[in-house]
Amino acid sequence: MSLLVRETLQQLPAVILPRLIQMFGNTTPLMLTDIRQHAHSGNLLAMSQAAHKLKGSCISLGAEHMADICKTLQHKGEIGDTSNINTLIAELEAIYPQTLQALEQAT
Amino acid sequence: MHVFTNLKLMQIIDSAFLVALLSIIAMLLWLNLTKVSTDVQHNMQVSNTSLQQSHAAFVQQLALENAIDQQRTTFDTLNDEFFKFAFDPNSTPDNLPLLHTLSQTLQQQGQALLAIWPIADRPDLKNDYEEAMGIMSNLSVELEGLPPAHWRQLAIDARDTANQAKLLMAEIEKIDNELGKQIGDTILQSIQNTDASAAQMAEQLAHLKQRALWGTLIIITLLIMSRLYFSTRFQHMTQMARNAQQVAEEALKTKARFLATMSHEIRTPMNGVIGMTRLLMNTPMSKKQTEFVDSIHLSGEHLLTVINDVLDFSKIEAGKLDLKREPFELRACIEEILNLLNAKALEKHLELAYAVGPSIPLFIEGDMVRLRQILTNLIGNAIKFTDRGEITIFVIPRCQKGEDYELEFQINDTGPGIPTERLESIFEQFSRADDNLARRHEGTGLGLTISRHLVEMMGGTIWAESAVGVGSRFHFTIKTRKAVGKLKPFLHSNIPEIVGKRILLVENNPASSQAMQDFCIGWGAVVDTASTSSDAISRIAVGKPYDIALVDSNLPGDSPLELAKYIRQRFSKQELPLILIAPPNDRHSKETVRELYNLYLTKPITRSRLFDSLMTVLGELNLISSRPEQSTLKLGERLPLSILLAEDNPINQIVASSILDEMSYKTDVAESGLQVLQALHKKAYDVIFMDMQMPDMDGLEATRRIRADFPPNQQPIIIAMTANAMEGDRQECLNAGMNDYISKPVLPEAVEMALQRWCITNSQPQPRKEPDYVTTSA
């Protein structure tokens, strides 16, 4: 599972990339906070929706690893499975800075 | 500037000093030589006079001596005759005439002597002589009257007088000799004087020589000193100028580096501004706002062009532009440019055509991006400044040595032309052929300068020829070499399907005709060309067999259709397929063309398109039904649609709308299912791209509502966009009434295919329960 699928970025119009990555940097920390808070409060459905939203951003930018974790979290949220959620969230938070860096370097 | 003023001053001083020294030398020489020459003249005059006087005196002395000798002889003779007469007893007065004659002779000689009498300061001597002469000459007369007794006495007197006279003459001779000695002394004196003056002159000349030597030495010393002084000063100044030049060059480079950096820094946010403006254009705006945003967009695009030019120019100036040496396909490079510029040419109904010499290798080595930049600039200019006619591009090999080639590119237009006086400066920076024209067309005026620099970096030259009112021709050369690259199918020669096929090419543009002929022959076809439809008809009429006919739609009047009708009367579409070479906005009725022709070949003609067309008709495929119109126009220009994008994630909104924007679609954005319904109530949309999960109301629910609530003629095509790439999701979408489904990440190809599938074939989009095709881009 790679951090970043560069081909996805290459498919996008070059002019919008800086803005997209900037938006990713601006919106992701808030979404990560949402996911963690909803997980803490046990509102798994809300966590699932937040994970879905972040997944959308990640897929569009080719952030494959983050998208995959979001997908798992979304799925767990939908079926009410709390196992490993904190580990997954921690992993998501951990790879976010690397992903952002990889994105910034890719342009 | 200061240095150069000083330098000029120094030069003036130096020259003045040199002139002054030379003048002094000339003046001194002149004065000294004048003095010498005057002295010589004077001495010559004195010596001449003295010699002339001496000569006259000498001549006179000779005459005197001669006269004295004669006189003596005469005296002696007369004396003897007197004695003979006096003492001869036989003497008679008859003998007297002889004495008379002698006396007369004596008197005459005496007169002659007196005439050359030498001494003025002795009158007594002269009187004595005259007296003696008078006595002697009278003696003969006296004798006549005397008796013979007295004759003896008279003879004695005569002898005494003669003796006295001889004494006198001896004295005269003595005096005269003294005078002669004096003359000799004078001559000697004169010779001595001349000698002395010559010696003096020699001495003067020696002196002059010495002085001249010293003077010259002093002047040479002064000159050497001045030379040394001035050369030191010059060296100093040259060094100063060199330093100044270095500083200036460094400053120029720094400036160019600064420009390059700044241009780069400006370009990045500028791209952002333009990108965001394009997205802004896709959002609902008032008419005024749309105008403003359009204006921002146009200005932004222009600014970006300017910045790119400045960046290139400053890179070149700073020496930071490096050319790549990579293999690339020259013909494809030109075709890409023509594709890119075709829309602009079409707007003005200009023909674009190109031909590359068949001996030029397919792949050459070089920097394709930069070559494209030069060609785009030149062809773009040609299109910009030409209002009617054609733009042709030729590439010809100028020379070839082994694998090395020098290629010449020619870009011809039928524009207004460039006046001769402007042609020379056209490649200088900030120069354009016509300032009035320039005002009509935006740009930095750097394009040709950049092209010139690039051409020079490629080892070539660039120049232009023009005839006002006829057109212009830009030439440039590049040095390159043959390279090896991966061949696309149509780049192979002797394609089995095409080999031996007989093609009739009816084309009135020589450049296009040549290019297509070269391509077809390269693939192994046998090509007949005709430039008019009647020419083509006559070939068919005589029974020449053809497998394919290519006809240019630009033949005059309706002749493309008439030619096709003539052919169709004899051959079916299968027997002799016809291809119409036409621009996307062809003037002929599409209905008629479809009846007569098998296929359109869209201009500008490129090798790949021609290849595709030939392969299509040879494969007995009729592209008119499956590929209605090949076009370089963007989908949104060919197929205008109103599109709504339903997506709540801001990143995905930008991604999807920018992809649609690239296809020339402006999209409206809704962030939830409810907003979709509200938007649909305000305006009918042809297509909705619908995210599945949105706040308030998700995509499935929104679709169900649309399908339930809106009349059939307002039903949009709904295409789902979702990251849930699972079969269950797909089915759920279709069940909710969506037409199609594309998975995230959204890719341009998937969007374009979905739009073409649903919007070209369905002029009246209807909801479908089951799609017959699903586009995925996993």
Side-chain angles (χ1 to χ4, degrees), chain A residues 7-8 11-13 15-16 18-20 23-25 27-28 31 48-49 52-62 71 74-75 78, chain B residues 268 271-272 274-276 278-279 648-652 654-655 658-659 662 691-694 722-726 744-749:
Chain A
E7 288 73 22
T8 311
Q11 297 273 351
L12 295 173
V15 289
I16 62 164
R19 173 88 177 129
L20 281 182
M23 281 178 81
F24 183 75
T27 55
T28 308
M31 293 192 216
S48 170
Q49 280 169 355
H52 169 79
K53 195 169 179 180
L54 181 56
K55 183 184 75 176
S57 302
C58 295
I59 287 177
S60 289
L61 293 175
K71 190 178 165 186
Q74 183 192 345
H75 185 62
E78 280 166 358
Chain B
T268 314
N271 275 326
I274 291 170
M276 288 304 120
R278 279 156 89 173
L279 296 178
D648 67 320
N649 184 314
I651 289 178
N652 293 346
I654 292 176
V655 168
S658 65
I659 286 171
E662 289 284 301
D691 185 27
M692 294 268 280
Q693 291 193 6
M694 287 182 289
T722 177
N724 296 345
M726 289 153 103
K744 289 179 181 174
V746 176
L747 297 179
E749 290 82 7

Side-chain angles (χ1 to χ4, degrees), chain B residues 732-764:
Chain B
E732 206 175 355
C733 290
L734 301 178
N735 289 343
M738 292 182 174
N739 299 73
D740 206 342
Y741 170 103
I742 57 179
S743 59
K744 289 179 181 174
V746 176
L747 297 179
E749 290 82 7
V751 174
E752 187 159 351
M753 278 178 78
L755 287 175
Q756 279 182 329
R757 174 155 301 278
W758 289 101
C759 302
I760 291 177
T761 50
N762 297 352
S763 54
Q764 285 292 315

Side-chain angles (χ1 to χ4, degrees), chain B residues 445-457:
Chain B
L446 282 175
L448 286 176
T449 313
I450 294 168
S451 299
R452 178 173 66 97
H453 281 292
L454 291 174
V455 166
E456 283 166 4
M457 287 172 79

Side-chain angles (χ1 to χ4, degrees), chain B residues 362-485:
Chain B
L362 287 173
F363 284 89
I364 58 168
E365 199 178 84
D367 192 325
M368 184 181 77
V369 175
R370 295 300 173 183
L371 179 65
R372 191 155 57 186
Q373 188 176 356
I374 300 167
L375 283 169
T376 308
N377 182 256
L378 294 178
I379 301 169
N381 278 350
I383 295 173
K384 210 190 280 182
F385 293 105
T386 305
D387 290 327
R388 66 175 66 84
E390 59 179 32
I391 318 287
T392 49
I393 299 103
F394 295 100
V395 190
I396 46 179
R398 267 165 80 95
C399 67
Q400 181 200 351
K401 276 183 197 158
E403 299 219 320
D404 291 321
Y405 285 82
E406 186 176 3
L407 304 181
E408 180 180 332
F409 292 75
Q410 293 179 358
I411 292 92
N412 306 288
D413 67 47
T414 51
I418 305 160
T420 321
E421 64 271 18
R422 297 283 300 149
L423 270 180
E424 285 166 17
S425 62
I426 199 166
F427 298 106
E428 302 299 321
Q429 58 213 54
F430 311 119
S431 164
R432 270 198 277 199
D434 187 334
D435 288 339
N436 288 331
L437 271 179
R439 276 192 280 279
R440 270 171 57 194
H441 307 282
E442 57 191 24
T444 50
L446 282 175
L448 286 176
T449 313
I450 294 168
S451 299
R452 178 173 66 97
H453 281 292
L454 291 174
V455 166
E456 283 166 4
M457 287 172 79
M458 293 178 186
T461 47
I462 186 165
W463 71 99
E465 301 167 338
S466 188
V468 173
V470 179
S472 308
R473 173 178 293 176
F474 280 77
H475 305 252
F476 70 92
T477 61
I478 60 164
K479 286 198 173 115
T480 181
R481 49 186 293 122
K482 187 181 174 178
V484 182

